[in-house]
Amino acid sequence: MIREVAILGAGPAGLSAATTLRARGIGDIVVIEREEVPGGVPRHCGHPAFGLREFHRLLGGPAYARHLSAAASGIEIRCRCSVTAIEPGGRIRLLDPDLGETRLETRAILLAFGVRETPRSARLIGGDRPWGVVTTGALQQFVYLQKIRPFRRAVVIGSELVAFSALLTLRHAGIEIAAMIEENPRITARRPGDLLARMALGVPVLTSTRLVAIHGLSRVEAVEIEQAGQRRRIACDGVVFTGCFRPETALLAGSHIALDAGSGGPAIDQYWRSSDPQVFVAGNLLHPVETAGIAWAEGRAAAEAIAMHLAGRLPTPGGDVPVSTTAPLRYVYPQRLALPLAGLSPLLLKARAGRAARGHLRLLADGRELWSRRLSLLPERRISLPADRLPRDGFSAITVEMEEER
């Protein structure tokens, strides 16, 4: 089977890319989705936090997913279809429930797989292994898709933005929230999130607090925490682990597509191209994790680059300039630049802090400072860098670094 463009993933990035390509006159598109219906993660996020950027109205997650799907009406979306391999030359291997194992040849591929949360098994938490320990995604599927209340009293581990989504899901299901627990001295999400949790939802927010163990036989009975050197138990029958997102790269492990050690996702240039010039990437596969609105916007931008690729208007890759960063920053993207530099999308040249730090953030070209600003960084915060300070050519490396204050 031969198609012009294949989009892998029918979430906000994949669906916005498909509709943008169609608007550019590219009609031979197929979207591959492993779930039963398109829409991505927002399908099971019941709270109203979506749609202002895309549809100029505030929507709940399921309604937002339906709007995305409606906008892509008429584009072929093959659900319940798994990608088993991506090969050089634009070739894809698929496992289709109706057709069995098939092969697809394309002129361009967009990867929009998104991210996954790190489960308890990968977090080295001690204690028993009872039922009742879930991630936010699993909780939302229980509550919004299956209409199941999985427990009656829960503890939330983590305080990033998705943790507050977990709080809203628990409250929607009528589940008592015993506490939100964060190891760091302050919450990861922006303030006043902790004040809203305490005052509006009545949730105890315990910072500088470590989860030591989970206790229970057949199901969770309590968690053991440590705060200020003192240990105590909190009675509960559910534990929700939030965040610690990882790009969904299981399919790419060992493939010909280069992954970035910092982000864990594919490394790209300013045209959203991976190390394979026929394979483009957008959305949270690149940067765990941003909002659905940003993923949607990136899908549109990547689609514009794909349209240029199909028209033969992208520069030939090769001899690209690397873009790198150092601690306390965790990663920067794009990870390389094709020269001459003709401008960057405002969605690019972003970095993320790996830990709290204070000092001067610097943008360098071959060691020459292009820009500097004194900043206080917090863990997991996205940092926008001034792309307009980059020279068009005549440089061999870009570095983003922080001179920390002691």
Side-chain angles (χ1 to χ4, degrees), residues 75-110:
I75 295 172
E76 182 183 359
I77 302 176
R78 295 170 62 179
C79 293
R80 299 185 299 118
C81 187
S82 299
V83 179
T84 58
I86 299 170
E87 300 172 341
R91 294 185 295 273
I92 304 170
R93 292 186 183 184
L94 305 172
L95 190 59
D96 188 291
D98 300 319
L99 303 176
E101 188 172 359
T102 62
R103 292 196 176 195
L104 194 63
E105 294 186 12
T106 72
R107 293 183 61 198
I109 299 169
L110 175 66

Side-chain angles (χ1 to χ4, degrees), residues 109-250:
I109 299 169
L110 175 66
L111 304 183
F113 295 138
V115 293
R116 56 181 172 83
E117 290 177 280
T118 301
R120 181 249 177 100
S121 59
R123 300 190 191 218
L124 304 179
I125 303 297
D128 305 316
R129 294 292 186 270
W131 191 89
V133 181
V134 299
T135 62
T136 306
L139 170 69
Q140 291 175 333
Q141 290 195 38
F142 276 129
V143 171
Y144 293 120
L145 296 187
Q146 301 174 34
K147 311 300 182 185
I148 294 173
R149 184 167 66 173
F151 25 72
R152 296 183 178 277
R153 177 178 165 87
V155 169
V156 174
I157 311 300
S159 66
E160 57 285 289
L161 189 60
V162 74
F164 290 85
S165 175
L167 295 183
L168 294 174
T169 302
L170 292 167
R171 179 55 58 90
H172 174 84
I175 298 170
E176 181 184 357
I177 307 166
M180 170 183 276
I181 295 172
E182 170 56 55
E183 285 196 25
N184 292 310
R186 57 162 292 162
I187 64 168
T188 303
R190 295 186 183 277
R191 285 178 168 165
D194 50 349
L195 297 179
L196 292 173
R198 292 186 178 107
M199 299 175 67
L201 299 177
V203 176
V205 180
L206 309 180
T207 54
S208 300
T209 303
R210 183 172 66 92
L211 175 65
V212 176
I214 298 171
H215 298 292
L217 296 176
S218 61
R219 66 172 304 132
V220 173
E221 297 173 5
V223 296
E224 184 177 351
I225 63 170
E226 182 177 349
Q227 186 179 46
Q230 302 294 317
R231 291 192 178 189
R232 64 184 177 94
R233 289 194 178 198
I234 299 175
C236 60
D237 64 345
V239 179
V240 183
F241 282 100
T242 71
C244 293
F245 289 97
R246 299 289 181 268
E248 188 60 85
T249 55

Side-chain angles (χ1 to χ4, degrees), residues 56-73:
H56 311 294
R57 55 190 297 190
L58 191 61
L59 299 168
Y64 173 73
R66 290 193 295 271
H67 275 68
L68 290 175
S69 300
S73 177

Side-chain angles (χ1 to χ4, degrees), residues 276-317:
D276 182 334
Q278 287 181 254
V279 178
F280 297 73
V281 191
N284 282 324
L285 183 62
L286 289 174
H287 42 59
V289 64
E290 296 291 350
T291 64
I294 290 178
W296 174 87
E298 288 186 353
R300 290 165 57 91
E304 298 289 357
I306 291 171
M308 293 173 64
H309 163 75
L310 296 175
R313 292 167 46 209
L314 287 188
T316 302

